[in-house]
Amino acid sequence: DAKTTQPPSMDCAEGRAANLPCNHSTISGNEYVYWYRQIHSQGPQYIIHGLKNNETNEMASLIITEDRKSSTLILPHATLRDTAVYYCIVRQPFSGSARQLTFGSGTQLTVLP
Amino acid sequence: NAGVTQTPKFQVLKTGQSMTLQCAQDMNHEYMSWYRQDPGMGLRLIHYSVGAGITDQGEVPNGYNVSRSTTEDFPLRLLSAAPSQTSVYFCASSNRQGYTFGSGTRLTVV
């Protein structure tokens, strides 16, 4: 799995968009970008994933640069419940031993009232 | 659906005791895995299974055993607990859509 780099912490005002960056300059052509988050003491929660096109679901949007070396997770209207550690993971989807997730240290997002 | 169910939620063991952490999923996922998370750190893979009867080691397997006799269950056994195994343990199951994690077992070894 390609290595990822995320800022250790970020703050965001409640109701504003939270933009969480991730660098993955060594990503290979068949690797996807996945985002998970972990709210304090809970198990990680899947948010979104993508290969090269921008993706949107009910939780967030994922913007991947054209060269795929970086991406941004966007929470459009952050709430206090979005305070969590956000993990950016780059990996091949489900091919034998590549199925395990490799977690880095993530970004601690704090949404401020 | 219950998703991934882990029991117990909390456990205190004495050094040298053995125990089994239970994990069950009702989503018919082939792939299941166990992670541990130490304070302030990310998750590290202990063992995983790609289907019933098949298991393999992850990043930190020492001191742990697993088995996968059914698709639904993937128990993690601590053979002789050590203080270094004090951690929060998460079980996960997955398909092509992503991973679903349990709520965790907080284990303290004294």
Side-chain angles (χ1 to χ4, degrees):
Chain A
D1 298 344
K3 179 178 172 58
T4 62
T5 303
Q6 299 177 252
S9 64
M10 294 181 63
D11 292 339
C12 176
E14 187 177 18
R16 305 296 295 269
N19 297 281
L20 291 88
C22 179
N23 287 323
H24 31 79
S25 58
T26 61
I27 191 170
S28 61
N30 60 354
E31 288 183 317
Y32 284 65
V33 180
Y34 289 78
W35 283 85
Y36 284 77
R37 73 180 183 183
Q38 187 174 23
I39 297 171
H40 181 63
S41 298
Q42 299 181 19
Q45 176 189 25
Y46 166 81
I47 301 173
I48 198 167
H49 74 281
L51 181 61
K52 54 184 176 181
N53 296 320
N54 297 338
E55 302 288 344
T56 296
N57 63 20
E58 64 277 5
M59 289 182 67
S61 295
L62 174 61
I63 308 298
I64 303 173
T65 57
E66 191 170 346
D67 63 7
R68 302 209 321 124
K69 293 185 176 182
S70 66
S71 60
T72 300
L73 177 74
I74 300 172
L75 308 179
H77 305 288
T79 70
L80 299 179
R81 288 176 295 181
D82 292 321
T83 293
V85 178
Y86 287 77
Y87 295 99
C88 169
I89 300 169
V90 172
R91 63 188 296 275
Q92 298 177 25
F94 302 112
S95 57
S97 63
R99 295 188 183 196
Q100 59 263 36
L101 289 177
T102 301
F103 286 85
S105 52
T107 296
Q108 171 66 59
L109 173 70
T110 302
V111 180
L112 304 173
Chain B
N1 285 343
V4 177
T5 302
Q6 289 185 238
T7 56
K9 293 189 183 301
F10 302 93
Q11 182 71 50
V12 178
L13 287 179
K14 293 182 179 179
T15 297
Q17 286 185 317
S18 63
M19 80 159 294
T20 299
L21 280 62
Q22 301 293 342
C23 176
Q25 55 100 358
D26 61 1
M27 298 172 285
N28 201 33
H29 288 171
E30 289 187 0
Y31 185 69
M32 296 185 73
S33 49
W34 277 101
Y35 292 82
R36 61 175 287 173
Q37 186 172 33
D38 299 323
M41 297 182 65
L43 281 74
R44 292 185 292 169
L45 181 67
I46 305 172
H47 284 286
Y48 65 97
S49 168
V50 299
I54 306 170
T55 64
D56 206 345
Q57 297 180 352
E59 179 185 356
V60 288
N62 293 339
Y64 308 95
N65 276 356
V66 292
S67 60
R68 185 91 180 273
S69 57
T70 67
T71 300
E72 295 77 20
D73 299 301
F74 190 45
L76 177 72
R77 280 182 285 276
L78 281 71
L79 307 175
S80 178
S84 61
Q85 293 178 304
T86 293
S87 190
V88 181
Y89 291 83
F90 292 101
C91 177
S93 73
S94 59
N95 61 8
R96 289 189 173 275
Q97 306 309 313
Y99 281 67
T100 300
F101 285 83
S103 57
T105 295
R106 188 174 297 273
L107 176 67
T108 301
V109 182
V110 298

